[in-house]
Amino acid sequence: MSQVPDNAPGQNWNAADYARHADFVAELGGPVAELLAPRPGERILDLGCGDGSLTEIVARSGATVVGVDAAPDMIEAAKARGLDARLMDAHNLAFEHEFDAVFSNAAMHWMLNHEAVLASIHRALKPNGRFVAEFGGHGNVAAICTALLAALQARGISGKARFPWYFPAPEEYAEAMQTAGFTVDSIELIPRPTRLPTGMAGWLETFANPFLHGLDEEIREAVLNDALALLAPSLRDSHGNWTADYVRLRVSAHR
């Protein structure tokens, strides 16, 4: 198993900020929740449940849903919805053969040691249990990443070690799932340009902190301003509306 860090440093989650800047995440999770097709009586694990907004929808099926997340503020927000939400690292889940399905939306690209995560998911599932997920795939937010890396490089700062995401191609991730013991049922990249409710500045405030971790405030502000200037011609329309260049990887597999 490769020796890679579990998570990039510098990303701190705040449930209120997330709800303000990124409420579209749960809204766009509907199709992958449909692919999960939860049934009454099933026991389902929501991996990286966040504030529980999509967990709550899955639970309406009559399934028993447990949400896990590594962010304390998100877990508190999920608990406030009345959900069974637990603070837990996806790289080392405390479950063995307990769940009929593991579900994840917009979370697994933050988990850099994907081999450990897949092994943990496999262990948590019952025999023939399902794994259904959607997260950033190859090409996801490519323009945003390029702009941030260029703005850092212009100041002599390497962004390589700061890059916080794992965006695999379908072939790469299918191979990783098979190595972990899964049978792949379907896997596809889905381009999804996404309108940003609070603009690119709000998106960067919510998601880009690892690129800026440990930098002086003056340098942070300069990097963000340069990134916005680089992105405006391609991701901002004539009315000032911003769109993120999302590409999602949607997977369905079974143990």
Side-chain angles (χ1 to χ4, degrees):
M1 188 172 290
S2 58
Q3 296 301 308
V4 297
D6 289 349
N7 303 101
Q11 185 64 31
N12 296 309
W13 296 104
N14 178 281
D17 288 346
Y18 192 87
R20 182 166 69 254
H21 296 304
D23 60 349
F24 58 85
V25 172
E27 293 174 8
L28 294 174
V32 71
E34 291 176 11
L35 182 62
L36 173 67
R39 296 184 287 272
E42 285 192 317
R43 186 167 169 82
I44 295 174
L45 179 67
D46 186 353
L47 188 70
C49 66
D51 65 4
S53 53
L54 195 54
T55 320
E56 198 170 43
I57 293 172
V58 173
R60 291 174 190 160
S61 66
T64 298
V65 186
V66 177
V68 297
D69 203 285
D73 199 59
M74 291 296 201
I75 288 297
E76 290 307 311
K79 286 182 176 179
R81 297 174 181 267
L83 297 169
D84 181 353
R86 310 178 191 182
L87 188 67
M88 198 176 296
D89 183 356
H91 298 83
N92 188 25
L93 295 169
F95 306 111
E96 289 203 19
H97 315 311
E98 288 190 35
F99 293 96
D100 298 289
V102 173
F103 168 76
S104 185
N105 180 60
M108 293 183 67
H109 49 261
W110 290 100
M111 306 168 193
L112 298 183
N113 192 336
H114 64 281
E115 294 167 313
V117 171
L118 283 170
S120 200
I121 292 170
H122 191 270
R123 189 172 60 250
L125 283 168
K126 298 175 182 178
N128 298 314
R130 313 190 302 287
F131 168 46
V132 176
E134 185 176 294
F135 56 99
H138 183 67
N140 190 54
V141 294
I144 297 172
C145 292
T146 301
L148 285 165
L149 293 172
L152 287 167
Q153 188 62 45
R155 289 161 180 81
I157 302 167
S158 173
K160 183 177 180 180
R162 296 171 175 270
F163 198 88
W165 300 308
Y166 168 62
F167 296 147
E171 299 80 9
E172 172 191 353
Y173 201 68
E175 183 178 349
M177 286 193 290
Q178 289 164 350
T179 300
F182 287 99
T183 297
V184 180
D185 298 313
S186 64
I187 184 166
E188 61 177 329
L189 279 178
I190 303 171
R192 186 189 291 152
T194 302
R195 179 72 64 86
L196 301 178
T198 59
M200 187 58 67
W203 192 95
L204 293 172
E205 177 186 332
T206 306
F207 297 116
N209 286 296
F211 288 100
L212 310 168
H213 180 60
L215 301 181
D216 292 340
E217 187 59 37
E218 183 178 343
I219 296 176
R220 286 174 59 98
E221 186 175 349
V223 168
L224 288 172
N225 287 339
D226 282 5
L228 288 170
L230 288 166
L231 289 168
S234 57
L235 298 185
R236 187 178 65 187
D237 68 20
S238 59
H239 298 289
N241 300 306
W242 286 90
T243 297
D245 53 329
Y246 276 16
V247 178
R248 313 314 266 177
L249 184 67
R250 185 178 297 169
V251 305
S252 176
H254 65 274
R255 191 182 191 281

